[in-house]
């Protein structure tokens, strides 16, 4: 079971997408829990503001460190806790499947969601937040990024997926992208009347050939779409 605590200015955005499908089922079954802490409850002055202008100038607003600390300290037992604390930011280290596997084994994760231009660096450094990015692009806030991270992590907890063996052959598990998949109808007639069959080998019942075909397709696709991954795979083999 993972207890997730989320520091956010928009608690109503949770559980959001995490309430659906297999992740929603895991939430109902208490395989993980989500508690939100509203940063606005810890704002300053009577406007309860949580952000201020950047020192040195520049556009936008920065989340104040004192607000983040007060929100964090409102969590019971936080002083003795060794919980992993993550701050989601495009300038963090890039999230990958391996990191999700590490996170899926934790008991508690505390996630700080930024907004505006980001968070005062002192809050990140002094309060011990690890900076994690979900990709090389910039979102408007950390809430959706937190849901991406959590969805990827929760599905790795044993018992969450209906078919745990699907974890074994997935994209990235061996630095290869997944092979293409097909289902019924065997011959699909599209709206223009063209017929499209599935690759013959998949309906041959010949398991060894299917395995070989899938590996070839994975390699082909990885070389074309993610040559960086393919190089990594080759380096591991050598
Ligand atoms: N000025 C910042 C961007 C701030 S975006 C910069 O250039 O780095 C506002 C908030 O959205 C961030 O504080 C962060 O919590 C979230 N966010 C945006 N893009 C993200 C990404 N790729 N991964 C994780 N969080 C992201």
């Amino acid at each position: 079971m993972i207890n997730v605590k989320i520091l956010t200015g928009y608690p109503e955005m949770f559980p959001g997408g995490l309430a659906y499908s297999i992740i929603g089922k895991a939430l109902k079954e208490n395989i993980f829990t989500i508690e939100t802490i509203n940063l606005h409850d810890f704002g300053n002055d009577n406007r309860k503001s949580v952000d201020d202008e950047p020192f040195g100038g520049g556009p936008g607003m920065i989340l104040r460190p004192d607000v983040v600390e007060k929100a964090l300290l409102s969590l019971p037992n936080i002083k003795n806790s060794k919980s992993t604390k993550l701050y989601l930011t495009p300038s963090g280290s890039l999230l990958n499947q391996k990191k999700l596997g590490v996170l899926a084994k934790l008991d508690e994760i505390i996630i700080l969601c930024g907004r505006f231009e980001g968070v005062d660096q002192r809050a990140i450094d002094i309060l011990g937040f690890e900076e994690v990015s979900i990709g090389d692009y910039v979102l408007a806030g950390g809430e959706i990024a937190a849901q991406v991270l959590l969805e990827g992590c929760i599905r790795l907890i044993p018992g969450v997926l209906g078919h745990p063996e699907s974890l074994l052959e997935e994209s990235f598990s061996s630095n290869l992208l997944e092979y293409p998949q097909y289902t019924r109808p065997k011959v699909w007639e599209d709206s223009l009347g063209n017929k499209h069959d599935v690759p013959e080998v998949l309906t041959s019942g010949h398991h060894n050939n299917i395995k070989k075909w899938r590996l070839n397709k994975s390699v082909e696709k990885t070389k074309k779409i993610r040559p960086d991954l393919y190089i990594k795979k080759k380096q591991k083999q050598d």
Side-chain angles (χ1 to χ4, degrees):
M1 174 167 151
I2 308 184
N3 294 308
V4 183
K5 313 266 161 76
I6 297 173
L7 311 181
T8 168
Y10 298 90
E12 59 284 359
M13 285 180 76
F14 292 91
L18 301 172
Y20 298 88
S21 184
I22 50 161
I23 309 294
K25 187 164 166 270
L27 183 59
K28 273 202 195 110
E29 289 170 354
N30 277 326
I31 292 176
F32 74 105
T33 63
I34 292 188
E35 186 188 329
T36 51
I37 295 92
N38 190 346
L39 292 168
H40 293 110
D41 291 344
F42 303 92
N44 289 289
D45 60 47
N46 38 16
R47 277 182 48 243
K48 289 275 172 210
S49 52
V50 296
D51 55 347
D52 216 321
E53 293 159 352
F55 281 120
M61 300 291 268
I62 308 293
L63 196 56
R64 295 170 54 118
D66 51 345
V67 172
V68 177
E69 184 186 37
K70 276 190 236 156
L72 186 66
L73 291 181
S74 74
L75 293 172
N77 303 323
I78 188 69
K79 286 222 162 112
N80 310 316
S81 146
K82 290 202 170 61
S83 307
T84 294
K85 298 190 222 50
L86 308 177
Y87 166 49
L88 288 160
T89 164
S91 59
S93 54
L94 209 52
L95 185 64
N96 58 24
Q97 196 61 21
K98 191 170 160 206
K99 177 74 177 177
L100 287 177
V102 173
L103 296 176
K105 295 198 175 77
L106 298 174
D107 300 325
E108 186 171 78
I109 306 178
I110 299 171
I111 299 179
L112 171 62
C113 301
R115 277 273 154 183
F116 330 113
E117 276 308 301
V119 176
D120 185 306
Q121 190 63 37
R122 290 167 297 178
I124 299 162
D125 297 341
I126 305 301
L127 302 174
F129 283 93
E130 183 184 332
E131 295 174 276
V132 177
S133 164
I134 66 157
D136 291 342
Y137 42 80
V138 182
L139 304 172
E143 288 77 10
I144 301 282
Q147 289 178 33
V148 168
L149 178 142
L150 289 170
E151 179 158 321
C153 167
I154 304 300
R155 69 189 283 285
L156 297 178
I157 301 175
V160 172
L161 281 192
H163 298 275
E165 63 278 11
S166 49
L167 291 177
L168 299 174
E169 285 196 10
E170 274 180 337
S171 296
F172 308 118
S173 54
S174 55
N175 287 320
L176 280 181
L177 301 180
E178 197 180 56
Y179 45 81
Q181 299 267 33
Y182 301 85
T183 186
R184 293 192 178 81
K186 184 173 171 309
V187 180
W188 165 51
E189 187 173 342
D190 67 21
S191 58
L192 300 173
N194 298 319
K195 290 183 176 161
H196 311 275
D197 206 342
V198 303
E200 211 178 314
V201 61
L202 298 179
T203 52
S204 67
H206 198 302
H207 294 298
N208 249 346
N209 287 355
I210 294 175
K211 218 171 147 185
K212 266 193 233 154
W213 182 88
R214 285 181 163 167
L215 180 61
N216 276 339
K217 285 288 175 190
S218 276
V219 169
E220 213 175 83
K221 191 169 185 184
T222 312
K223 272 183 175 167
K224 186 167 163 216
I225 294 176
R226 291 291 305 274
D228 57 316
L229 271 188
Y230 188 69
I231 290 169
K232 248 199 222 163
K233 179 181 170 58
K234 291 298 275 179
Q235 282 168 346
K236 265 203 181 150
Q237 276 170 350
D238 299 339

